[in-house]
Amino acid sequence: MAQVLRRLRSSQPVARFQRCCGLFPAAEEGAGDGLAGTVAGGDHLPARDTCPGSSPARQRLPEANGVKSSPQPQIVMYIGQVTKDILKWPRPHSPPVVKLEMRAEYGMPSTHAMAATSISFTFCIATINQNKYSLVLGLMAAFVFSTLVCLSRLYTGMHTVLDVIGGTLISAALIALTYPAWDIIDHLMLTSPFCPILSIVVPLLLCYNYPKLEDYSPTRADTTTVLGAGAGATIGFWLNNLYAAPNYPNESLHLNLPPISEMMMVVLAKFLVGVFILLVTRYFIKGMALRVLCSRYQVSVNNLEARRRLEIEVPYKFITYSSVGFSATVLVPLVHDLLGLI
């Protein structure tokens, strides 16, 4: 067993998977740093710092009107990020692995694998009674989605096989352990008068007590981003439940779909309006929070090292993304309604 685990933790299986996908090291002068690669056919792949979905801030709650809300993604991300900084396992070595991303954090477990497994299977289980589709079909879709995300982490050279398996198993265990309490948590999150206070206080305490590292790592900032967005979204759901009429009945969902062209136009308009509102919210709230905090601690807003300090990084990230989460669940639907995009 120990030998199997060592093999899964090594970089060789990742490199072999990349070769099977047609990804090979670049020419000799670029292969030493592993920051570039070529695919079959000779197309050059430059080094990348980010990829679609690489930021934990993009993880969304499995919540829809008439569907249970769940803190599962926030719990999963926090546990995953903390585990990384406790274990301190390195990412795959390059060479032999071709790295298509550069991240200054540790590898075990893969939080992408954790988030993909948690969100897809939680969404499937939570919506099975609200929508007319078979459980088998939902589980298959969740399996395919989470598998593709896991394989993408191997392809980009960011995780070992053991990192991905570990992340998937942790999420599966958390789903199994928390599932019996989903109804209770959902009821408290939507009806308790203490929900807004707890949604802010608990995540802030977790962020301020994040494990300290000798060298700076973006994991604390990423974790604060996720917890902040989740806190803002939770408060938004709570307000919607108190003051907004539900858009869907509790029984099975019946859809009267408009013509496909009309539906696509509405979807595109809603997307563009929503993205615009969220970008504007982030821009103004981030600027205001940074100016206030930097003025309070008498540092320059452009001082990157100062912005990484605990007393500045945590509150400015939390305020910014809790505002984004709140806007996404309250302000954006309100604007959609005012514009008739329903």
Side-chain angles (χ1 to χ4, degrees), residues 115-279:
T117 303
S118 173
I119 292 175
S120 58
F121 282 94
T122 298
F123 185 86
C124 173
I125 296 170
T127 61
I128 192 64
N129 293 326
Q130 279 76 24
N131 300 277
K132 286 189 173 181
Y133 61 83
S134 67
L135 178 62
V136 175
L137 182 62
L139 292 177
M140 288 177 60
F143 175 78
V144 170
F145 173 76
S146 56
T147 299
L148 289 175
V149 172
C150 292
L151 292 178
S152 74
R153 303 314 288 162
L154 299 180
Y155 179 80
T156 55
M158 296 308 296
H159 288 286
T160 65
V161 177
L162 188 59
D163 294 345
V164 171
I165 294 175
T168 302
L169 292 178
I170 291 174
S171 282
L174 288 173
I175 292 175
L177 290 173
T178 60
Y179 177 73
W182 281 9
D183 287 330
I184 299 175
I185 296 172
D186 180 61
H187 178 74
L188 292 175
M189 289 175 63
L190 295 178
T191 61
S192 173
F194 301 105
C195 173
I197 298 175
L198 293 177
S199 297
I200 294 174
V201 172
V202 174
L204 273 178
L205 287 176
L206 291 174
C207 293
Y208 274 108
N209 290 279
Y210 194 85
K212 294 180 174 60
L213 298 175
E214 295 179 0
D215 299 319
Y216 178 79
S217 169
T219 50
R220 185 181 66 197
D222 292 343
T223 304
T224 305
T225 297
V226 173
L227 295 185
T234 300
I235 296 173
F237 295 144
W238 179 80
L239 281 176
N240 288 335
N241 184 70
L242 287 183
Y243 300 108
N247 292 333
Y248 300 116
N250 291 329
E251 58 268 14
S252 296
L253 181 63
H254 299 279
L255 295 177
N256 296 318
L257 296 178
I260 187 65
S261 58
E262 179 183 344
M263 183 174 66
M264 292 302 297
M265 291 297 295
V266 172
V267 169
L268 179 61
K270 292 178 71 172
F271 173 77
L272 294 177
V273 170
V275 169
F276 176 76
I277 293 173
L278 296 184
L279 290 176

Side-chain angles (χ1 to χ4, degrees), residues 33 37 47 64 71 74-75 96 100 102 230-231 249 269 273 300 304 309-311 317 339:
D33 55 16
Q74 299 99 291
I75 296 173
L100 302 184
M102 292 302 297
V273 170
S300 171
L304 181 60
R309 287 162 49 181
L310 173 69
E311 61 271 21
K317 288 279 188 181
L339 296 177

